[in-house]
Amino acid sequence: MTPFTVKPLTEHTGAEISGFDFTRPLDDEGRGALQRIFAERHVLVMRDQKFAPDQFKAAAQLLGELHPHDNKERHIAGHPDVDYVSNQHFVDGKRLIPGETFHTDHSNHPRPPKATTLFAVELPTMGGDTQYVNMHDAYDDLPEEMKRKIGGLEAIHVYLSKYSPRALASLTEESRRALPEPAIHPLVRTHPENGRKALFLNPVRMESIVGMEDRAALELIAALMRHAIQRKYEYRHRWKLGDWVIWDNRSVMHQANPDYDMNERRLLYRLMLRGEQPA
Ligand SMILES: [Fe+2]
């Protein structure tokens, strides 16, 4: 196996991996090691990659199978299955920054993507970091009484909650028709690989909690969010060109930051990997 190094980025979340050549096929041992580190560190950072869209796709698939994106119109020209994030999108004359509040991706699906990955193609001179918070640690630190309260609760996740703190890109009729039925997921899920429990929250898509009045549900979600997004649970990624970052949606929430000069372009290729039904 190729020798590689793993540098933790905080005590709890994130690791920088170097030594692999991701433009060549990885042997089973290397792939297994990568999967193990991913389950332990939740966010992996590989610097100085030079991916064409197909190479990015191949690298992402080292950790799973692709999960198609809901917004079928948005993709890299000539690569219908490679999505992107960009600051050059406008909705009703207002610039839309995808991911601009803490969330987990595509939780409106019965089997939400286990992972999302980005490759930095164009970046602003400064700013535009992505923040991640560790939902295993956030869960572990909850008072026992709260753990008991939320242990059996399930939330309904829709494409865009009427209570969402922000808008999402509008969908064409075709993409809208392809959306799944609203999904029902536990507030606390267990990671199938590392065995740890985690809070599973997404104010953008959670519209209600089964058996609760909306107001009480929103208050509970807000309290859990305030707890989960504390700085002590965070790894903040400062992007450099060529960064390949992959994160585990079962272990972390993430958010984008629109704190940079919008005259500068920011473009990252984006893919998701298939997950399982949260339990
Ligand atoms: Fe996201």
Side-chain angles (χ1 to χ4, degrees), residues 103 105 254 270:
H103 64 284
D105 287 333
H254 60 283
R270 179 183 190 276

Side-chain angles (χ1 to χ4, degrees), residues 121-260:
V121 178
E122 284 182 273
L123 294 174
T125 319
M126 56 195 302
D129 298 350
T130 303
Q131 289 164 270
Y132 299 93
V133 282
N134 186 316
M135 299 299 264
H136 296 303
D137 284 5
Y139 173 79
D140 290 347
D141 289 348
L142 286 174
E144 289 305 317
E145 191 190 336
M146 181 58 102
K147 287 183 182 166
R148 273 195 299 276
K149 178 175 176 176
I150 63 175
L153 292 179
E154 293 179 314
I156 298 175
H157 295 242
V158 299
Y159 177 71
L160 179 59
S161 167
K162 61 187 177 212
Y163 302 117
S164 170
R166 61 181 160 93
L168 295 179
S170 48
L171 295 177
T172 59
E173 209 27 60
E174 191 197 345
S175 284
R176 188 160 288 282
R177 270 200 304 271
L179 284 179
E181 291 293 308
I184 302 177
H185 297 310
L187 256 62
V188 179
R189 67 184 295 184
T190 304
H191 193 292
E193 284 150 51
N194 65 25
R196 296 183 68 190
K197 288 186 175 178
L199 283 170
F200 193 57
L201 303 174
N202 187 359
V204 178
R205 309 213 194 247
M206 286 165 103
E207 195 151 72
S208 56
I209 292 178
V210 179
M212 278 178 92
E213 293 288 338
D214 277 9
R215 216 175 70 184
L218 289 172
E219 276 171 18
L220 176 62
I221 293 166
L224 292 169
M225 286 297 291
R226 275 196 303 277
H227 167 73
I229 67 173
Q230 292 179 79
R231 198 56 67 79
K232 63 181 172 183
Y233 301 128
E234 179 181 296
Y235 164 63
R236 184 175 183 122
H237 186 69
R238 295 185 171 83
W239 289 94
K240 291 183 193 153
L241 281 181
D243 279 359
W244 171 31
V245 176
I246 182 162
W247 66 86
D248 193 323
N249 285 311
R250 303 165 297 184
S251 301
V252 295
M253 283 193 300
H254 60 283
Q255 80 171 359
N257 281 281
D259 58 349
Y260 52 93

Side-chain angles (χ1 to χ4, degrees), residues 261-274:
D261 180 355
M262 289 295 157
N263 294 312
E264 294 189 285
R265 290 173 58 92
R266 185 176 186 276
L267 174 70
L268 301 98
Y269 296 167
R270 179 183 190 276
L271 290 168
M272 296 185 293
L273 299 181
R274 284 190 193 281

Side-chain angles (χ1 to χ4, degrees), residues 59-71:
Q61 284 170 293
L62 289 170
L63 288 154
E65 293 166 46
L66 299 185
H67 177 119
H69 194 263
D70 276 349
N71 192 329

